[in-house]
Amino acid sequence: MFGSVYAFEVDGFGNSYLMDDANLPSLLSLPWLGFVDASSEIYKNTRAMILSENNPFFFEGTAACGVGGPHVGLGFIWPMSIAMRALTSTSDDEIIECLQLLKDTTAGTLFMRESF
């Protein structure tokens, strides 16, 4: 479906866990960490998988969509994942969209919380 992707976990027996978590380090953050170039085909495939319903921790609601994690429960988006999406994007439009989402999900306070 996505081609070759990086796995979140592998067990050495040929099994892998394909997901990502909003916490850092994460698969989404690989270019920001200097591990891979954002233009890498495998990274682009991985990014597409992470930012889709194929990632069990990707959530979409009425205000935003983004990556959460098992630490705060299902259904909660971490603003950190939206910020990392912007920091690793190669699209000006996507960066602007992420910044607007971050601003719009503060309930008018301009303070971000761990999740929403």
Side-chain angles (χ1 to χ4, degrees):
M1 174 181 280
F2 295 100
S4 295
V5 296
Y6 293 112
F8 188 78
E9 293 177 355
V10 295
D11 67 4
F13 296 104
N15 301 302
S16 60
Y17 189 26
L18 300 180
M19 56 81 69
D20 202 17
D21 185 315
N23 221 343
L24 294 174
S26 66
L27 295 175
L28 189 61
S29 71
L30 292 177
W32 186 73
L33 294 170
F35 179 77
V36 68
D37 191 273
S39 64
S40 156
E41 196 65 34
I42 296 175
Y43 176 75
K44 290 191 291 187
N45 293 344
T46 303
R47 181 182 176 85
M49 185 260 311
I50 292 165
L51 300 174
S52 78
E53 61 195 25
N54 291 285
N55 176 5
F57 296 106
F58 178 80
F59 307 111
E60 192 165 356
T62 57
C65 63
V67 180
H71 313 291
V72 293
L74 295 176
F76 291 92
I77 298 167
W78 289 25
M80 178 170 36
S81 77
I82 298 171
M84 189 52 61
R85 182 177 157 207
L87 288 167
T88 58
S89 179
T90 58
S91 162
D92 289 344
D93 289 339
E94 183 179 27
I95 294 167
I96 291 167
E97 176 188 351
C98 290
L99 293 174
Q100 190 64 49
L101 281 173
L102 289 169
K103 181 182 172 204
D104 291 347
T105 55
T106 65
T109 66
L110 299 181
F111 289 105
M112 289 181 215
R113 32 199 83 55
E114 180 183 35
S115 63
F116 60 88

